[in-house]
Structures are given as C-alpha cells and as structure tokens.
Amino acid sequence: MKTDDLLQRARVTAAELFAPVAVFFRRKDVRAVVEWLKEPVYAVVVMFALTTIIAQPFYVPSGSMEPTLAIGDAVFALKFPYGYSRYSIPFMNGPTPAKRLWGRLPEVGDVVVFRLPRDISVTYVKRVIGLPGDRIQMRDGRLWINGKELPVRPDGVGDDEDELGNDIMTPRYVETLPDGREHPIFKKSWGGGLMDNTDVYVVPPNHVFMMGDNRDNSLDSRVPPDAGGVGYVPLGNLVGRAFVVIGSVDFKKADGLWEWPFQFRFSRVLNRVR
C-alpha cells in the first residue's frame, strides 16, 4: 500500500475517532459550561503563577519571632529576592535543590520563610543572622558575629504570648546588626538560659544561620536538627523574604472558630516586617 493511501486512511480514522468529541463540544449546553468554567480556571492559573513568582501568604503558628511577628500573623513573603527553586512552587516537595534560578544571598537581618531542613514539608520563619563563613556565638545571652558583640539597648517591656494564650510581660530590647540595621528582641534573662552560652558556629558554604527574635523561646540554628532544632539552613530551602503582615488573629484566646472574628488584630494589618 502506498504511503499516500496510508496517510489518507490515518486521517479518516482520526476524524472518525474524534468526531463524537467534536460533536459533544458543539452542543450549546456544553459550550455554556465551558464558558462558565473559563474565568475560575483562569483565576486559579493566575493566582498559582503569582504565588510562585511574586509573593505567597504564610501563617505564623508560634511565638518564636515575637515581638516582630505575633502568633496568628499572616505574612506575605516575596519570592524573587533570593531567586527560585522547586520550593518557590506552593506545596511542592522533593529533595533540597543544589542551585537556585537567579539565586542571591539574603542579607543579615532579613526575616525569611524557609523549608525546615529535617522535614521539608514544614515551613518556618526566622531571621538571618549568619551567612556562609560567618562565625556565630552566644555569650551570656549576647549575640556575637565574627568576634564582635552586637549592641543592645532596653526598649521597655512587651506581651510575650505563650502557647496557652497567656500574655507574659517580657523585657524588650533593640539589637543592632553589624550593618546598622536594628530589630526588637525579647530576652527574659542574660546568661542563665539553655542557649545563652554556646560554642562558635561556623556557617558552612551554601547555608545560612537562622535565629528567632524571641531568644529564650526559639528552636533555631543554635539547636541541631536531631535535638528538634533547625540547624544550618541550605540556601536551596529558602522560600522568600517576609515583608508585610496582611492579617492577624489571636486564635489562642478564642474558644472556637466562631470567636476568631472577635480576635482579629486590626492594628497589625499592613505592618512592615523589619
């Protein structure tokens, strides 16, 4: 049989095969459903693209970043400052990527959303304290970076909310980073805490060192993963930089979901994360 005949028979077979499909989609009721679905499908596609490329909301479930972030805060994290990896895609899991597309180092002091190295299905938010090669140490509760003690000054007291919703008045301080950036911290005592005196941590290549602003209530890079901490965080685990609070519900003080609207913190909406 000639090649032309075979092609002709293939075209006829294909036309016969897809004819019912074509007839189905020409029906007015089906076309109406397709038209009705277009807008929500387009909206989902656009939202997925925006949360992958531009920014994604994340929820803060603990008080480890108080007073900067409160329990129940929802923050937007910008995706582009550090480049992109598979973790830039919402709900994407898999091994930690070795490289990032358009990857850039964070700055010391950035508040960063990242995947927990020991369980990449879990998302954390902490402050970057050390970059590759930096030497980090705690001495009597004070933070040292590359052999220099960071200045702190008293800043009154603040409400440190615990896991039961109780507010504990805790001393608040302002810490100054080596580049002059300042941020608040909570510190109950100096020198007596479990993480107030440590060995020197030397941040490995392609990793960062993270700490919570609630210094006595944060399992961060000071604590190794096998002890329930964060350890050093690979650059590939970074998701984005937290930059603004978009909503906040003090759910710890609510007896149920029906009380959440009454525990909404309007004063925290659109607060910049610094």
mmCIF file of all heavy atoms in Angstrom, residues 110 128 174 178 191 230 235 239 255 260:
data_model
loop_
_atom_site.group_PDB
_atom_site.id
_atom_site.type_symbol
_atom_site.label_atom_id
_atom_site.label_comp_id
_atom_site.label_asym_id
_atom_site.label_seq_id
_atom_site.Cartn_x
_atom_site.Cartn_y
_atom_site.Cartn_z
ATOM 1 N N ASP A 110 17.481 39.894 57.419
ATOM 2 C CA ASP A 110 16.257 39.577 56.681
ATOM 3 C C ASP A 110 15.419 38.557 57.460
ATOM 4 O O ASP A 110 15.962 37.603 58.046
ATOM 5 C CB ASP A 110 16.576 38.992 55.302
ATOM 6 C CG ASP A 110 17.053 40.033 54.315
ATOM 7 O OD1 ASP A 110 17.099 41.222 54.677
ATOM 8 O OD2 ASP A 110 17.400 39.650 53.180
ATOM 9 N N VAL A 128 17.647 35.899 59.484
ATOM 10 C CA VAL A 128 19.003 35.508 59.069
ATOM 11 C C VAL A 128 20.013 36.236 59.953
ATOM 12 O O VAL A 128 20.013 37.468 60.039
ATOM 13 C CB VAL A 128 19.258 35.845 57.590
ATOM 14 C CG1 VAL A 128 20.699 35.514 57.209
ATOM 15 C CG2 VAL A 128 18.300 35.076 56.691
ATOM 16 N N VAL A 174 16.358 46.357 71.774
ATOM 17 C CA VAL A 174 16.639 46.604 70.364
ATOM 18 C C VAL A 174 18.079 46.182 70.107
ATOM 19 O O VAL A 174 19.004 46.656 70.775
ATOM 20 C CB VAL A 174 16.435 48.082 69.988
ATOM 21 C CG1 VAL A 174 16.908 48.332 68.544
ATOM 22 C CG2 VAL A 174 14.973 48.468 70.129
ATOM 23 N N PRO A 178 25.603 44.208 62.499
ATOM 24 C CA PRO A 178 26.864 44.832 62.055
ATOM 25 C C PRO A 178 26.698 45.928 61.003
ATOM 26 O O PRO A 178 27.502 46.854 60.947
ATOM 27 C CB PRO A 178 27.659 43.645 61.500
ATOM 28 C CG PRO A 178 27.155 42.469 62.278
ATOM 29 C CD PRO A 178 25.695 42.739 62.485
ATOM 30 N N GLY A 191 22.386 35.009 80.372
ATOM 31 C CA GLY A 191 23.406 34.088 80.864
ATOM 32 C C GLY A 191 22.891 32.824 81.486
ATOM 33 O O GLY A 191 23.646 31.860 81.645
ATOM 34 N N VAL A 230 16.659 23.668 64.213
ATOM 35 C CA VAL A 230 16.726 23.942 62.773
ATOM 36 C C VAL A 230 18.082 23.558 62.189
ATOM 37 O O VAL A 230 18.169 23.014 61.098
ATOM 38 C CB VAL A 230 16.438 25.446 62.516
ATOM 39 C CG1 VAL A 230 16.723 25.806 61.072
ATOM 40 C CG2 VAL A 230 14.994 25.766 62.860
ATOM 41 N N LEU A 235 20.772 27.095 51.379
ATOM 42 C CA LEU A 235 20.193 28.175 50.574
ATOM 43 C C LEU A 235 19.046 27.669 49.712
ATOM 44 O O LEU A 235 18.114 28.419 49.407
ATOM 45 C CB LEU A 235 21.280 28.803 49.702
ATOM 46 C CG LEU A 235 22.389 29.562 50.437
ATOM 47 C CD1 LEU A 235 23.454 30.036 49.451
ATOM 48 C CD2 LEU A 235 21.819 30.747 51.206
ATOM 49 N N VAL A 239 12.481 30.137 50.808
ATOM 50 C CA VAL A 239 11.248 30.309 50.030
ATOM 51 C C VAL A 239 11.045 31.773 49.664
ATOM 52 O O VAL A 239 10.714 32.095 48.524
ATOM 53 C CB VAL A 239 10.037 29.781 50.811
ATOM 54 C CG1 VAL A 239 8.742 30.070 50.052
ATOM 55 C CG2 VAL A 239 10.170 28.284 51.063
ATOM 56 N N ASP A 255 -12.179 30.597 72.015
ATOM 57 C CA ASP A 255 -12.678 29.299 72.446
ATOM 58 C C ASP A 255 -13.078 28.412 71.267
ATOM 59 O O ASP A 255 -13.297 27.212 71.441
ATOM 60 C CB ASP A 255 -13.884 29.469 73.376
ATOM 61 C CG ASP A 255 -13.491 30.081 74.708
ATOM 62 O OD1 ASP A 255 -12.347 29.848 75.152
ATOM 63 O OD2 ASP A 255 -14.316 30.809 75.301
ATOM 64 N N TRP A 260 -13.026 33.690 66.301
ATOM 65 C CA TRP A 260 -11.872 34.250 65.589
ATOM 66 C C TRP A 260 -12.125 35.676 65.093
ATOM 67 O O TRP A 260 -11.229 36.526 65.192
ATOM 68 C CB TRP A 260 -11.469 33.333 64.438
ATOM 69 C CG TRP A 260 -10.691 32.127 64.876
ATOM 70 C CD1 TRP A 260 -10.740 31.526 66.105
ATOM 71 C CD2 TRP A 260 -9.772 31.367 64.102
ATOM 72 N NE1 TRP A 260 -9.915 30.439 66.149
ATOM 73 C CE2 TRP A 260 -9.303 30.310 64.932
ATOM 74 C CE3 TRP A 260 -9.305 31.453 62.806
ATOM 75 C CZ2 TRP A 260 -8.379 29.360 64.484
ATOM 76 C CZ3 TRP A 260 -8.389 30.514 62.355
ATOM 77 C CH2 TRP A 260 -7.933 29.491 63.178
#
